[in-house]
Amino acid sequence: MTAPATHSAAPAARRLSLPAFIDGTLLTLVAAAIILWFVPSGMGRYGTYVLSLWLVMSVAVMGLNLTLGYAGLKSLAQAAFMGIGAYATALLTSKLGLNWYASFAISGLLTFSVGLVLGFPALRVKAHYLAFVTLAFSTLIWLVLRNEQWLTGGVFGLSNIPRPSFFGLKLDGALAFHRFVVVVTFLLAVVLWWMIRSPWGRAFTALRENPIRAASLGIDTRMYTLLAFAIGSAYAGFAGALYAPLVEFIDPSPFSLSQSFFLLLMVVAGGAGYLLGPFIGALLGVVLPEWLRFAGSLYLIIFAGIVMLLLIACPQGMSGLLERGWNRLTGKTGGSR
């Protein structure tokens, strides 16, 4: 009497099993995208703007996480690349009348190319010296944005940046544009998820852990160093292409060196080398200060104190803290990033 029950249960179990390529990180991204699609309803225009800004900054932090967290290359130019993408999109859409999708692709290609060129110093210098190279580049881009008024508008910036449309549907409203940002961010996150699990991602990680051993295993460390810089820069360009129509006005201040340090803080606080770390880090960097505004002028001091305590308690960031808690609950000894 028991044999038929066993045979009927086994096929049912096979039917319910998920494909091997789907993991918890991908399911988390899908669930988060669905939630974020509906969350802003009733939040008002400013609350929706803050959520959209969080996602845009998450895209920029995703690129820096690839460069620093996976490939181990220190960069202080992420905000500069974001500025290049933002200004390229603003000029192409508002001055030349190009549609946003073409401008988005051009911004990504432009920052990828610049990142490829900037990556060459990474082949010759390491660690802190590489950070100095990107620091100089970040300062140079900020000076260009500020002083070349004929092109960038200087300190007066560029205004009236149009928002894109989707198959004739205008996305001028805060909620409609937020949902557009959710879709673009989800697609970029899935591309990065696939990349990290591909041989490229394993090569990046090997480069971070031990470049000499990676080279002895046949990994072309020169090519992957350049790719890490270029792809991370392209993600900053994509973030800039989303940022420009979100705020509809840009000036040099959001792309200064201090903003690059802030993006670096988001990577570290969220968890460098964790795929979901950029979302947590950007949440701490963008949304937490808004929640703390009830404290008035003290909110920045409270924010700095929370971040310092977090980094002291968990150097691996919030993702590392969550992973340790999950492993303790499930009895596992390791985790998947």
Side-chain angles (χ1 to χ4, degrees):
M1 295 296 289
T2 56
T6 303
H7 288 301
S8 61
R14 283 197 293 271
R15 283 196 299 271
L16 292 174
S17 62
L18 296 172
F21 67 89
I22 295 179
D23 62 5
T25 303
L26 182 61
L27 293 176
T28 302
L29 289 175
V30 173
I34 294 172
I35 293 171
L36 286 169
W37 180 275
F38 295 103
V39 158
S41 300
M43 287 185 65
R45 187 178 180 85
Y46 185 71
T48 305
Y49 164 77
V50 172
L51 281 180
S52 301
L53 182 62
W54 165 45
L55 293 176
V56 170
M57 300 307 289
S58 297
V59 174
V61 181
M62 274 194 277
L64 186 56
N65 189 36
L66 177 69
T67 304
L68 174 67
Y70 286 99
L73 304 170
K74 296 178 178 63
S75 172
L76 294 175
Q78 197 70 356
F81 284 113
M82 189 175 168
I84 293 173
Y87 273 89
T89 300
L91 291 170
L92 290 171
T93 55
S94 63
K95 303 295 184 185
L96 300 182
L98 204 64
N99 71 64
W100 180 86
Y101 300 95
S103 304
F104 178 80
I106 292 173
S107 297
L109 186 61
L110 178 62
T111 47
F112 181 90
S113 304
V114 176
L116 203 61
V117 174
L118 188 63
F120 277 101
L123 303 176
R124 302 180 63 85
V125 297
K126 300 293 181 184
H128 307 306
Y129 298 103
L130 178 58
F132 292 145
V133 171
T134 55
L135 184 151
F137 174 78
S138 182
T139 304
L140 173 66
I141 294 298
W142 186 78
L143 288 174
V144 170
L145 297 179
R146 181 181 173 84
N147 296 326
E148 299 302 323
Q149 191 169 346
W150 63 274
L151 179 66
T152 65
V155 294
F156 301 105
L158 299 173
S159 58
N160 299 321
I161 301 170
R163 288 186 173 178
S165 58
F166 184 73
F167 288 108
L169 178 65
K170 291 188 178 297
L171 303 175
D172 294 338
L175 181 59
F177 189 72
H178 167 78
R179 288 174 171 169
F180 180 75
V181 172
V182 169
V183 173
V184 176
T185 304
F186 173 74
L187 293 177
L188 291 173
V190 170
V191 169
L192 196 60
W193 168 83
W194 166 80
M195 193 183 305
I196 294 304
R197 276 151 183 76
S198 71
W200 287 19
R202 290 190 285 276
F204 289 147
T205 306
L207 188 65
R208 177 194 64 190
E209 298 297 334
N210 193 326
I212 297 176
R213 181 180 296 174
S216 68
L217 294 174
I219 295 174
D220 188 342
T221 55
R222 292 174 59 88
M223 183 187 76
Y224 283 104
T225 298
L226 292 175
L227 278 177
F229 248 103
I231 297 172
S233 304
Y235 266 72
F238 292 143
L242 286 169
Y243 179 81
L246 172 65
V247 297
E248 299 177 290
F249 167 80
I250 54 173
D251 66 352
S253 57
F255 313 115
S256 63
L257 180 61
S258 62
Q259 188 65 20
S260 287
F261 278 109
F262 200 49
L263 291 171
L264 184 63
L265 172 67
M266 293 182 196
V267 173
V268 175
Y274 290 89
L275 195 62
L276 299 179
F279 293 95
I280 300 173
L283 186 72
L284 291 170
V286 176
V287 180
L288 180 60
E290 297 297 327
W291 286 342
L292 294 175
R293 284 191 184 276
F294 70 89
S297 59
L298 296 177
Y299 84 98
L300 279 178
I301 297 175
I302 297 174
F303 170 72
I306 291 174
V307 172
M308 289 175 63
L309 288 175
L310 170 66
L311 294 180
I312 292 171
C314 186
Q316 292 180 321
M318 281 295 295
S319 296
L321 189 65
L322 294 172
E323 184 184 69
R324 280 195 303 180
W326 176 256
N327 289 342
R328 186 167 296 178
L329 284 174
T330 58
K332 292 182 179 178
T333 56
S336 173
R337 292 187 171 190

